[in-house]
Amino acid sequence: MLFYLIGGWIFTFKFSLEDAVKELRPQLCYQCMKCSSGCTAAKVVNNYRPHEIVALVKAGYSDELINSDVIWACSVCLKCVEYCPQRVSPFEVVMALRNESIARGRVPPKSFVEMAKSVLKVGHIQEPMYIMSKDFEEVSRMELGLPEMPKPKDFEKFKQHVLLVGFEKLKEVIRV
Amino acid sequence: MKFLLYLGCTTATKQYGYELSLRATLPLLGVELEHPKDMNCCGVPMKGISKFYPYYACARIMALAESQGLDIIAPCNGCHLNLTETIYKLKLNPLLMSAVNELLKEEGLKYTGKAMVYHPVEILHDKIGIEKITSSIKRKLPEIPVSSHPGCHLIRPTEFPRPETRDGPLKLDRLIEAIGLKARDYPEKYECCGAAILPYSPEAAIKTAAFRIKRALAVGSKAITSLCPYCIDMLDGKQDAAKTITGDQNISIPALYYTQLLGLALGLDEKELGMSLNMSPVEVLLEEVKV
Amino acid sequence: MNKPRLAIIPGANCAGCDYSLLDLGEKVIEVLMAVDIAYWPTAADLKLEDLEKLPDGSIDLVLFEGAVNNDETEEMAKLARRKAKNLIAFGACACFGGIPGLANVASKDGILRKAYIKSLSTVNQQGTIPCKLTRLDGIELTIPEFLESVKSLDQVVNVDYYLPGCPPPLKLVAEALTAALSGKLPPKGTVFGSMKSVCDDCKRIREDKKITEIKRYHQLIPDPERCLFEQGIICMGPATRGGCDAVCPTVNVPCRGCMGPTPGSQDQGARMLSALSSVIGLEVETGVSDEEVRKLILQVKDPLGTFYRYSLPKSIMRRVWGVRE
Amino acid sequence: MVEDEEVRIGVYICHCGLNIASVVDVKKAAEEVSKVPNVVVAKDYQFMCSQPGQNIIIEDIKQHRLNRVVVAACSPRMHEPTFQKAVERGGLNPYLFEMANIREHCSWVHEKEKVAATEKAIKLVKAAIAKARLLKPLKREKVNVIPRALVIGGGIAGIRASLDIANAGFEVHLVETRPSIGGNMARLDKTFPTLDCSQCILTPLMVEVSRHPNVTLHTYTDVVNIDGSVGNFKVKLLKKPRYVDESKCTGCGTCITKCPWTAPSEFELGLGKRKAIYFEFPQAVPLIPVIDPEHCMYFQKGTCRACEKFCPTKAIDFNQKPEEIELEVGAIILATGYSLYDVAKAMPEYGYRKYKDVITGLELERLVSATGPTKGHIVRPSDGKEPKKVAIILCVGSRDEKHLRFCCRFGCVAGIKHAYYIVSHIPDAEVYICYRDIRTFGKGYEEFYERIRNYENIKFIRGSPMEILQDADGSLYFDVFDANTNRIVTLRPDLVVLETGIVPHPTFKEVAKILKCAVGPDGFALELHPKLRPTETSVDGVFLAGAVQGPKDIPDTVAQAGAAASSVIALMSKGYVETIPYVSSINEDLCSGCGICQPLCAYDAISLVKKEDGKQVAKVDIGKCKGCGVCAAACPSGAAQQLGFNDEQILAMVRTLTR
């Protein structure tokens, strides 16, 4: 739940899974399998089936998904968004499930944690790296003559806001 | 034409070749790039963690551009989509707009919807134009078949205005032909490179990239080009890994940024274009191009 | 003393109606010669006591100008009714509430606070608001108190005739005065003006009413021959009583509705709104998304001031209390 | 006149058995309303609609000299006509009657609040009384019906409807935009589920309709304009030039064999070729060729004239001009049919038109047809080889929020039939049907499905592919998730058949615009009631037959054509129609001719006319007016009023209810 103060009014945004998913109307899905037929991730990740995820949400088995890692397999290619004949958009359903899983204090796969940590540390998903060139030379931005990577100026404020818009729960879990 | 260069995370932290070639080529075509002092991540990979973080992050980026009175070039497909989506959704939803601005106010920023966002493909094709490019190049590159990989987010979703559509010829293909190369279609060019599966399962992601490379090789392409740091990261940087995982030693194709090819046509040195940072066998292509 | 007695009594008005009388030009002298002025604060040096002294029903013709907005104007309206043989609601404000009637969008408190405390140019740290009775150095001062809502004259007292317009068109003023002075007044309740709408007077060519975009007056130079409404400018002509000779549309200015609703309609603004909603861009009604409809609606800037500029107190919409200040 | 009389109202409150009386205190209600001014008598009765109930009204009218009647009972939709007739029998104008609905609007919805329901019922009755006071007598008018019908569209629906009307003894004009009648059904090879030869059952009807003495055939003709209203439509047709004199041509076909120029055939959907002078198809009716000026060398370059030279009857006439035909008809049947959804443009992911070996179901019908471009051999359009592996994809564009929301109603069975075509022509072929749901609802369809399921080489895959791709060697491939086996299958078919969705034929849009008849959100014609009045349109005297109303298979199309024809016959046998009295009327003293109402009228009933003084006013054609009230709502000056529902009457009701 989030509070915003706008012109003296307090607005409350509740992000419960039910609300998020209702908007996406998974109940309209008639299981045409188009999403699973074209899904990038489904072809390489064995148990990732967008139509099945929508069906499970529709049938009320969201908890199963929230507690499993499979929802983090989506490749964000947006093909299901584009071609779903009922505008259900399995991608958005998966994102809502991911959000809910974070809200319930579950830890996402390690790489996501790393990225989130980095956002809270430098404002980006990772810090500038040393890159190995073809000649086995390690180069950095500076050595290539590139200007320094910009960071949020008022970092404390930025971090505070990031936590406010949804990283709060994650912070407790990953203990930054 | 002056734009604020919003690099995003991938380009700025490891895909230095893209940044170098952008900074080298665009000014030659009359585009001035301003380097921002203050920037943050656009939030694409964080969408799963919080629905609202990308709105805040993108609104912050747009507000920063607005405070400088500039439009943004976002060279990353993901950033470009997320920024466009945020602009679109904030304009539709005044409540969201005011909520986001309430946060920005504390940082002395405000987004009103004035600043716009462009992808390099739009800048090159729509703003600069094919004609200007053909007249500016120093030498035409030989007619080598090259496949373009526009990347998912450049064409999808059609819900928001996207730079490319799969209905007609791609702008990227026209740009390839503009510098003398031959655009070669391959069946999976509208597919995903698999970058976003990387955090979940690197193996699955690399397999996906390997599929694409194999298809491009099958139609006889001599190189793959794109304007997305994620796509090139997968198609260029992961070729060795793909060989190991799939056991197919034939996976080897030069993969590089279109701006790097453009730079060659504009007579720039390969070093300036950061081509030594490409992991794929670009030297094979370079040799053919130089002849 | 055989001359008919005439009184002109002001309510909440801007005195524009008075000027319209003077627009009679030299004829005004004839009129003045023909009548005995009983009260006309703008032009004659007569006091209120003079009027009060006259017996009830002794004034042949009373023109009441302006809306009724405070207890003083309410008192004046009642006085006018008592003294008058024939009472004419003179001008748009007296007839329908007029411009002062737009105050009805806010509450009395809201208006006072806005005017005396919250407006940007006001410095009023104590937050003083005018009130009926003030004691100052032992002296009691009274000022009129605002009514909760602004009313038209006929919402306070019975009215015999209506002469709308802002200001009333000269032609109709002359018609009314001539009728009154010659004793040939029409049946009570008559509205001076035409039975048809302004469009009947308007000479512009009307072809096909299909509006896809509403334009504000500064956004285009209208074609002087064609109907303004068809060009996308909201012209209140179709919903407004004629009789003014369509002077505004004739000089390329859209009608703003000062003559009030036509005889066949109950509510001028609602009529215009339904007419507009019928012709605007919704030709193919299916397939127009809510978003597109919203966009169309948002094109109308200041809907209240457009559709109810002169007739808010008389509209069938009742005011809502305690809305935004 | 009633207006001068004192208003004397009789109020009758119905118990409706216990439907009303168990909730509303009817005795109290009757007592309450009897106190209302002008109410002379107020009664309650068990069943007002019964004969004794109606007799109470009739007798009271005489006894109490009533001149207005109010009945509080069920919905006016149910019994208003009943009571209006009773009032008429009592000697009053039937429109001096008003009904208050205290069943649906009160007792049925307030079962548990009896006291409040009684109060509400009283209010509703009082409102009806308030309106009744202001009622004025209205009258209906009779309009004669011209005993001649126009049928637009010469497909199976149009042919069937024309024959039915003609057989009843009325004159019919059948208009078809193509050079031959026959429509889409003529393209089919076989019809499911019986696998009858489509041509064999259609051509006899085509010949019959062309020879019927009561039918006039207008082929290669467009409808340009339709004016007037039910009973009296004035129709303007435009006959396109064939450049062949119909009276001289014998249909020998010599011109066609001699013509040296070719073009893609429209009838064969571009799969085959035709000459520049051509028959639409070999069994065309009428069997008269047409010259296509776009591909004819004489029209393009001024030379050739081979057809003219060889024609034995000298029927070629290069100087033919478009010909206007004017008709007066009493009723119209729309049978414009359907065309396929433009999948090439709307769904590029399936690669139709981009890849040669992706075809539509209708194209397969032509490939299978013995008279088709391949003489009945199923071959791949790309290389002319026999396909050994065929994928049939159902629901292409249909049941899709982004394309067509509705089910095309024949795609499933057509797909099954197409699978049968393939295995019967190429016994060793493998067929994959990718389906979402198989809908075999028609008579005998499920049995047909069962029969096809028996084939070992026809495999059903439950799942839709997202896209079809072409490999480097030109072969097609796609992935499809099969829910039955729960795995992703990669198919490499030689031929892909898309069972596409359908849309109304483009001519319908123009005809609908001319007629101003209602069009549904899906673009098909909107019927008056989906269940009870499926053949009628919003325009009186215009009826629907076949796929113009919505997707249909052949049995349904023929059934509806028969229904539409019988509606037309009923109208013409009666000989006249009565107009509804609740029409709009314009008070000319108030109308200033602003013209807002005119473009709004959905039935084209309002026109602007100039009066003697040069001022324009609106005028209502009561023959066309349906009493929808849009003009009355839009009229900014209150000049337009709907008779029987004018502002005064409605506001009197509102005032009573809000008091």
Side-chain angles (χ1 to χ4, degrees):
Chain A
M1 224 195 276
L2 273 183
F3 297 101
Y4 287 96
L5 264 169
I6 299 165
W9 292 86
I10 296 178
F11 283 91
T12 316
F13 288 106
K14 265 190 186 172
F15 322 129
S16 74
L17 182 70
E18 286 75 32
D19 291 352
V21 157
K22 209 180 284 167
E23 216 176 285
L24 304 167
R25 13 181 257 170
Q27 67 277 11
L28 284 187
C29 170
Y30 57 64
Q31 298 282 304
C32 72
M33 321 285 157
K34 238 185 184 182
C35 46
S36 293
S37 296
C39 180
T40 308
K43 281 169 196 155
V44 283
V45 180
N46 264 340
N47 48 353
Y48 184 76
R49 303 276 182 256
H51 78 269
E52 200 177 313
I53 291 176
V54 174
L56 285 171
V57 169
K58 186 177 165 181
Y61 298 111
S62 311
D63 289 0
E64 254 174 52
L65 292 163
I66 288 163
N67 293 325
S68 104
D69 259 0
V70 77
I71 50 172
W72 296 90
C74 170
S75 79
V76 201
C77 67
L78 305 182
K79 274 161 80 181
C80 53
V81 181
E82 190 63 24
Y83 298 123
C84 175
Q86 293 296 307
R87 295 179 197 274
V88 174
S89 171
F91 163 71
E92 301 278 352
V93 174
V94 167
M95 287 302 142
L97 287 167
R98 285 188 185 179
N99 285 178
E100 180 67 13
S101 137
I102 298 290
R104 293 201 191 164
R106 272 192 52 85
V107 187
K110 206 171 139 244
S111 301
F112 285 99
V113 175
E114 288 305 315
M115 286 194 263
K117 271 185 182 167
S118 176
V119 168
L120 291 171
K121 200 170 153 207
V122 292
H124 294 268
I125 57 166
Q126 61 202 24
E127 286 179 68
M129 297 182 196
Y130 279 92
I131 289 293
M132 186 84 80
S133 81
K134 279 264 171 67
D135 322 322
F136 301 103
E137 229 180 291
E138 279 214 326
V139 288
S140 66
R141 285 182 69 86
M142 212 170 66
E143 283 155 9
L144 288 165
L146 292 169
E148 203 185 325
M149 182 157 158
K151 281 182 191 175
K153 212 190 281 168
D154 189 347
F155 193 79
E156 274 317 300
K157 205 89 240 177
F158 172 78
K159 190 172 163 186
Q160 198 186 321
H161 287 162
V162 172
L163 290 174
L164 185 66
V165 293
F167 279 51
E168 194 76 64
K169 192 82 194 179
L170 191 70
K171 192 188 154 202
E172 289 166 25
V173 180
I174 60 179
R175 283 185 286 281
V176 218
Chain B
M1 282 190 284
K2 189 172 176 183
F3 294 92
L4 194 67
L5 181 62
Y6 170 66
L7 289 167
C9 303
T10 316
T11 318
T13 57
K14 52 181 182 184
Q15 290 296 317
Y16 301 137
Y18 194 10
E19 189 177 349
L20 283 169
S21 58
L22 269 174
R23 286 185 191 278
T25 51
L26 288 185
L28 293 180
L29 296 164
V31 176
E32 222 180 303
L33 297 172
E34 169 91 15
H35 186 69
K37 295 273 172 297
D38 179 355
M39 265 308 156
N40 53 282
C41 148
C42 78
V44 162
M46 301 286 105
K47 231 181 186 163
I49 299 202
S50 154
K51 186 180 172 187
F52 281 79
Y53 170 63
Y55 294 137
Y56 162 68
C58 289
R60 189 174 187 277
I61 296 162
M62 298 313 292
L64 285 165
E66 206 166 283
S67 70
Q68 297 189 41
L70 291 173
D71 286 341
I72 280 184
I73 291 186
C76 168
N77 287 2
C79 299
H80 183 265
L81 171 68
N82 221 6
L83 288 166
T84 318
E85 185 180 335
T86 301
I87 294 172
Y88 189 87
K89 292 224 167 127
L90 289 189
K91 278 184 181 171
L92 267 183
N93 187 345
L95 195 68
L96 190 61
M97 178 76 116
S98 51
V100 162
N101 270 323
E102 201 61 35
L103 294 177
L104 293 176
K105 202 164 81 184
E106 291 172 35
E107 298 174 66
L109 294 168
K110 188 175 164 60
Y111 180 56
T112 61
K114 239 182 271 162
M116 292 308 295
V117 58
Y118 297 99
H119 190 270
V121 86
E122 287 175 291
I123 300 285
L124 289 165
H125 186 274
D126 304 343
K127 298 261 164 186
I128 296 168
I130 299 280
E131 267 174 44
K132 173 113 191 255
I133 291 174
T134 33
S135 64
S136 316
I137 54 174
K138 293 272 172 3
R139 66 195 172 96
K140 254 193 158 126
L141 301 184
E143 279 199 18
I144 303 169
V146 172
S147 284
S148 64
H149 190 89
C152 304
H153 298 174
L154 212 53
I155 35 174
R156 282 185 289 263
T158 39
E159 209 183 321
F160 313 113
R162 302 310 301 142
E164 302 268 25
T165 65
R166 61 177 295 174
D167 292 350
L170 289 177
K171 290 173 183 173
L172 192 51
D173 281 347
R174 286 203 210 124
L175 290 169
I176 289 172
E177 308 237 317
I179 54 172
L181 300 165
K182 192 120 195 72
R184 172 74 53 96
D185 270 1
Y186 74 109
E188 289 175 7
K189 80 184 208 184
Y190 300 107
E191 302 286 306
C192 173
C193 63
I197 319 180
L198 218 44
Y200 175 78
S201 157
E203 197 187 322
I206 288 161
K207 255 191 220 167
T208 309
F211 290 154
R212 310 293 171 255
I213 296 171
K214 276 195 221 165
R215 289 286 175 209
L217 284 169
V219 297
S221 275
K222 293 280 188 241
I224 294 185
T225 182
S226 178
L227 273 173
C228 172
Y230 275 115
C231 295
I232 293 295
D233 187 18
M234 292 305 292
L235 300 174
D236 168 85
K238 305 285 187 280
Q239 284 187 13
D240 281 344
K243 278 179 202 161
T244 330
I245 285 171
T246 60
D248 185 347
Q249 292 305 312
N250 295 329
I251 297 179
S252 167
I253 189 170
L256 66 178
Y257 292 99
Y258 172 73
T259 40
Q260 290 177 319
L261 289 170
L262 178 65
L264 292 175
L266 288 168
L268 294 173
D269 180 58
E270 52 186 89
K271 191 98 187 164
E272 275 176 273
L273 299 166
M275 288 182 72
S276 62
L277 300 173
N278 287 46
M279 288 292 120
S280 56
V282 282
E283 56 282 349
V284 182
L285 183 80
L286 278 175
E287 258 163 47
E288 286 196 51
V289 166
K290 273 177 186 161
V291 176
Chain C
M1 290 290 273
N2 295 337
K3 287 184 195 169
R5 266 197 194 131
L6 173 72
I8 297 171
I9 300 177
N13 74 336
C14 67
C17 300
D18 285 326
Y19 283 97
S20 81
L21 275 176
L22 297 180
D23 278 348
L24 285 168
E26 284 142 30
K27 273 199 190 143
V28 82
I29 298 173
E30 280 174 41
V31 173
L32 292 178
M33 297 291 280
V35 296
D36 189 7
I37 302 280
Y39 187 68
W40 188 5
T42 335
D45 188 16
L46 290 156
K47 298 288 181 269
L48 196 56
E49 296 103 69
D50 300 325
L51 180 64
E52 278 167 351
K53 265 182 237 158
L54 291 171
D56 286 357
S58 66
I59 306 176
D60 298 87
L61 186 64
V62 173
L63 305 181
F64 188 90
E65 297 168 351
V68 177
N69 67 338
N70 58 28
D71 56 3
E72 187 195 11
T73 46
E74 195 175 11
E75 204 46 55
M76 291 300 280
K78 286 179 181 158
L79 181 68
R81 180 66 271 182
R82 277 206 306 280
K83 303 293 171 195
K85 209 178 276 170
N86 291 307
L87 176 61
I88 297 190
F90 191 64
C93 300
C95 289
F96 330 109
I99 301 279
L102 288 173
N104 282 1
V105 283
S107 66
K108 170 188 159 189
D109 283 352
I111 293 170
L112 289 173
R113 277 157 54 101
K114 178 83 184 178
Y116 290 96
I117 301 172
K118 291 176 102 182
S119 79
L120 291 174
S121 57
T122 306
V123 182
N124 180 359
Q125 276 160 355
Q126 288 88 26
T128 316
I129 279 181
C131 55
K132 179 109 177 133
L133 184 72
T134 313
R135 287 202 180 78
L136 195 70
D137 302 338
I139 305 164
E140 285 190 353
L141 299 170
T142 56
I143 53 168
E145 189 174 18
F146 278 99
L147 300 178
E148 278 299 335
S149 60
V150 181
K151 294 169 179 169
S152 66
L153 181 59
D154 62 359
Q155 285 170 342
V156 183
V157 294
N158 284 331
V159 173
D160 299 326
Y161 301 103
Y162 298 87
L163 180 40
C166 182
L170 212 53
K171 191 183 88 179
L172 297 178
V173 175
E175 191 186 316
L177 287 179
T178 322
L181 297 180
S182 57
K184 285 177 194 155
L185 278 163
K188 296 220 165 169
T190 300
V191 182
F192 288 96
S194 131
M195 288 295 281
K196 298 194 176 186
S197 77
V198 175
C199 294
D200 192 50
D201 297 335
C202 182
K203 303 277 185 304
R204 288 169 176 270
I205 300 163
R206 300 184 278 274
E207 283 157 342
D208 193 9
K209 294 232 168 3
K210 263 177 209 153
I211 305 171
T212 47
E213 190 189 351
I214 294 171
K215 297 198 182 75
R216 298 175 78 186
Y217 189 63
H218 64 272
Q219 288 172 322
L220 81 167
I221 296 169
D223 180 340
E225 303 291 322
R226 277 185 54 226
C227 173
L228 289 168
F229 195 39
E230 282 164 18
Q231 297 179 56
I233 298 172
I234 300 181
C235 172
M236 287 288 284
T240 305
R241 184 188 286 270
C244 56
D245 286 338
V247 279
C248 304
T250 308
V251 294
N252 241 356
V253 172
C255 172
R256 297 193 287 187
C258 70
M259 290 290 284
T262 50
S265 74
Q266 301 271 338
D267 184 311
Q268 192 181 10
R271 273 298 180 193
M272 193 62 205
L273 261 171
S274 84
L276 181 67
S277 61
S278 308
V279 293
I280 180 164
L282 295 170
E283 196 197 341
V284 212
E285 291 196 4
T286 48
V288 181
S289 69
D290 289 356
E291 189 48 41
E292 285 167 64
V293 173
R294 215 174 84 92
K295 258 188 220 157
L296 284 170
I297 295 169
L298 285 179
Q299 290 180 20
V300 184
K301 312 287 176 198
D302 184 17
L304 189 86
T306 306
F307 300 113
Y308 287 102
R309 186 184 292 251
Y310 296 98
S311 63
L312 189 60
K314 281 274 272 191
S315 91
I316 54 174
M317 294 200 298
R318 289 286 165 258
R319 56 183 306 183
V320 179
W321 293 100
V323 285
R324 280 177 300 128
E325 291 173 4
Chain D
M1 280 304 284
V2 183
E3 282 129 77
D4 308 328
E5 281 178 66
E6 172 211 3
V7 173
R8 298 174 67 81
I9 305 174
V11 184
Y12 303 91
I13 296 173
C14 181
H15 296 200
C16 195
L18 281 175
N19 272 312
I20 295 170
S22 68
V23 179
V24 175
D25 184 346
V26 281
K27 293 264 183 271
K28 190 184 166 201
E31 196 190 314
E32 278 292 314
V33 296
S34 67
K35 296 175 202 155
V36 177
N38 298 93
V39 174
V40 180
V41 51
K43 292 180 177 168
D44 63 281
Y45 187 71
Q46 209 167 10
F47 287 107
M48 278 313 294
C49 56
S50 66
Q51 206 56 45
Q54 294 182 41
N55 285 340
I56 298 176
I57 299 176
I58 296 169
E59 261 158 44
D60 279 0
I61 292 174
K62 286 173 187 149
Q63 197 188 331
H64 295 281
R65 289 183 294 114
L66 300 178
N67 51 21
R68 303 285 193 285
V69 173
V70 172
V71 174
C74 53
S75 160
R77 189 95 213 187
M78 189 86 187
H79 274 311
E80 194 178 45
T82 316
F83 294 120
Q84 276 175 340
K85 274 179 198 142
V87 170
E88 201 172 11
R89 284 207 301 280
L92 282 181
N93 180 293
Y95 299 99
L96 293 173
F97 162 79
E98 182 61 29
M99 200 159 174
N101 183 352
I102 58 166
R103 193 177 77 179
E104 283 87 340
H105 287 182
C106 192
S107 69
W108 278 1
V109 284
H110 303 301
E111 237 175 294
K112 301 214 166 71
E113 314 134 279
K114 297 192 176 171
V115 179
T118 305
E119 263 169 51
K120 181 175 171 185
I122 293 168
K123 272 209 159 178
L124 289 171
V125 180
K126 281 183 175 171
I129 294 168
K131 188 186 168 196
R133 265 188 217 117
L134 301 168
L135 288 175
K136 298 211 167 64
L138 303 174
K139 68 171 194 256
R140 286 183 291 227
E141 285 182 30
K142 276 186 185 174
V143 177
N144 284 333
V145 176
I146 299 171
R148 189 182 300 132
L150 174 74
V151 177
I152 304 174
I156 179 62
I159 293 172
R160 188 67 258 170
S162 300
L163 279 174
D164 285 356
I165 300 170
N167 287 338
F170 295 101
E171 208 182 308
V172 183
H173 288 262
L174 176 58
V175 181
E176 167 61 46
T177 177
R178 295 295 311 159
S180 166
I181 56 170
N184 278 320
M185 190 178 163
R187 288 191 170 118
L188 305 185
D189 180 55
K190 289 184 176 62
T191 56
F192 57 75
T194 48
L195 299 175
D196 282 322
C197 160
S198 178
Q199 291 271 6
C200 314
I201 54 177
L202 179 66
T203 35
L205 291 182
M206 286 160 63
V207 173
E208 191 185 340
V209 81
S210 72
R211 296 221 176 119
H212 202 292
N214 284 347
V215 180
T216 316
L217 214 54
H218 300 276
T219 47
Y220 213 38
T221 303
D222 288 332
V223 176
V224 184
N225 197 22
I226 298 172
D227 252 335
S229 50
V230 55
N232 298 285
F233 289 106
K234 287 179 185 58
V235 185
K236 207 181 266 175
L237 305 175
L238 190 76
K239 195 172 177 57
K240 293 174 269 189
R242 281 174 184 263
Y243 305 108
V244 175
D245 189 335
E246 284 173 48
S247 57
K248 289 184 190 160
C249 177
T250 57
C252 69
T254 312
C255 49
I256 297 171
T257 48
K258 296 295 177 191
C259 177
W261 311 106
T262 55
S265 162
E266 289 88 350
F267 183 77
E268 304 292 357
L269 301 159
L271 287 174
K273 296 234 182 278
R274 60 155 170 84
K275 295 288 179 63
I277 182 166
Y278 66 102
F279 290 134
E280 177 85 344
F281 50 95
Q283 303 85 346
V285 170
L287 197 65
I288 297 166
V290 185
I291 295 178
D292 164 18
E294 260 177 48
H295 294 99
C296 171
M297 266 313 118
Y298 174 69
F299 282 97
Q300 295 298 324
K301 302 242 167 85
T303 55
C304 182
R305 305 184 86 137
C307 47
E308 197 182 25
K309 213 179 294 166
F310 290 101
C311 178
T313 55
K314 300 282 166 251
I316 306 288
D317 175 7
F318 287 113
N319 297 321
Q320 240 179 28
K321 292 276 171 297
E323 188 189 335
E324 259 191 21
I325 302 167
E326 285 188 16
L327 285 177
E328 286 193 355
V329 296
I332 297 173
I333 291 181
L334 296 180
T336 48
Y338 71 91
S339 56
L340 293 187
Y341 185 55
D342 188 356
V343 179
K345 210 169 139 219
M347 304 180 93
E349 65 268 25
Y350 282 143
Y352 176 60
R353 294 270 186 239
K354 194 172 152 198
Y355 314 136
K356 276 188 172 167
D357 293 335
V358 178
I359 62 171
T360 64
L362 206 53
E363 283 171 3
L364 182 70
E365 295 280 356
R366 291 318 300 152
L367 288 183
V368 179
S369 170
T371 59
T374 56
K375 303 277 175 280
H377 296 293
I378 301 180
V379 294
R380 282 155 52 112
S382 62
D383 55 8
K385 279 186 197 147
E386 234 175 35
K388 293 289 176 208
K389 206 167 176 184
V390 179
I392 296 173
I393 302 173
L394 305 188
C395 292
V396 175
S398 300
R399 303 176 69 202
D400 192 326
E401 296 249 330
K402 288 166 183 165
H403 301 281
L404 310 167
R405 295 179 77 161
F406 48 87
C407 166
C408 76
R409 282 183 47 112
F410 56 63
C412 292
V413 197
I416 293 168
K417 180 183 73 176
H418 293 157
Y420 167 80
Y421 282 170
I422 288 157
V423 293
S424 63
H425 281 67
I426 312 163
D428 60 338
E430 254 180 88
V431 184
Y432 295 87
I433 298 183
C434 302
Y435 69 99
R436 292 175 187 178
D437 300 301
I438 294 278
R439 298 180 168 181
T440 52
F441 54 89
K443 189 172 175 178
Y445 292 6
E446 183 59 33
E447 291 85 333
F448 179 59
Y449 177 27
E450 192 184 319
R451 180 177 154 196
I452 301 305
R453 281 204 305 270
N454 264 328
Y455 282 88
E456 257 174 34
N457 47 350
I458 298 179
K459 298 191 171 76
F460 287 84
I461 294 182
R462 171 143 162 61
S464 297
M466 192 180 261
E467 54 203 338
I468 297 171
L469 302 172
Q470 191 176 31
D471 219 339
D473 59 356
S475 64
L476 301 172
Y477 70 99
F478 60 82
D479 290 340
V480 55
F481 186 88
D482 183 8
N484 298 335
T485 54
N486 208 19
R487 64 192 70 200
I488 294 178
V489 188
T490 305
L491 290 180
R492 286 189 167 274
D494 300 326
L495 185 71
V496 178
V497 181
L498 305 178
E499 299 299 342
T500 54
I502 62 168
V503 289
H505 195 270
T507 50
F508 170 66
K509 211 174 168 187
E510 282 155 42
V511 176
K513 219 179 194 175
I514 296 171
L515 278 169
K516 288 212 174 185
C517 71
V519 179
D522 48 9
F524 288 99
L526 199 65
E527 64 290 324
L528 218 49
H529 190 283
K531 291 179 182 64
L532 305 177
R533 302 167 87 175
T535 61
E536 291 164 64
T537 66
S538 57
V539 182
D540 274 347
V542 178
F543 302 91
L544 300 169
V548 65
Q549 181 225 352
K552 270 187 197 63
D553 50 12
I554 295 170
D556 285 5
T557 297
V558 172
Q560 199 189 14
S566 68
S567 298
V568 170
I569 296 165
L571 189 69
M572 291 181 179
S573 322
K574 193 176 166 197
Y576 67 89
V577 280
E578 275 188 341
T579 60
I580 45 158
Y582 301 120
V583 290
S584 170
S585 91
I586 308 273
N587 181 347
E588 287 193 13
D589 291 338
L590 293 181
C591 177
S592 51
C594 70
I596 283 176
C597 52
Q598 194 243 343
L600 277 183
C601 180
Y603 311 100
D604 207 12
I606 296 184
S607 51
L608 289 175
V609 293
K610 276 224 157 81
K611 288 199 299 181
E612 296 113 44
D613 58 359
K615 297 257 169 87
Q616 60 178 11
V617 287
K619 202 171 174 323
V620 178
D621 176 351
I622 56 162
K624 285 185 183 173
C625 178
K626 301 275 264 179
C628 69
V630 163
C631 53
C635 177
S637 55
Q641 293 287 350
Q642 193 185 354
L643 297 180
F645 295 92
N646 65 29
D647 283 4
E648 219 185 320
Q649 292 165 345
I650 302 290
L651 282 165
M653 292 180 85
V654 173
R655 282 194 199 103
T656 313
L657 286 171
T658 52
R659 191 166 288 150

